[in-house]
Amino acid sequence: MNMIETKTWMCLICGWIYDEAAGAVEHGIAPGTPWAQVPMNWTCPECGARKEDFEMVQI
């Protein structure tokens, strides 16, 4: 079984989690979208923080 390792990214401002496997469908990001492919102008749906305000986290 070939499992693709997905990562999670946390907003350093409010703590909202972006999970690459789940995406953020309600915010225009399809499931399975790697963080690198999330548009640079995308902002945190909770607090409006910029993409550079997110950090990879291990859950």
Side-chain angles (χ1 to χ4, degrees):
M1 199 156 51
N2 188 4
M3 291 287 292
I4 296 171
E5 180 146 344
T6 57
K7 297 177 175 67
T8 50
W9 298 80
M10 183 179 72
C11 177
L12 298 174
I13 309 300
C14 73
W16 187 82
I17 298 289
Y18 173 74
D19 181 349
E20 291 180 343
V25 176
E26 65 279 12
H27 306 292
I29 309 296
T33 302
W35 185 245
Q37 292 179 11
V38 173
M40 282 308 298
N41 62 352
W42 184 82
T43 58
C44 177
E46 289 292 313
C47 72
R50 296 170 310 198
K51 192 176 166 187
E52 56 261 30
D53 292 321
F54 279 73
E55 187 172 89
M56 189 173 57
V57 291
Q58 299 296 325
I59 294 183

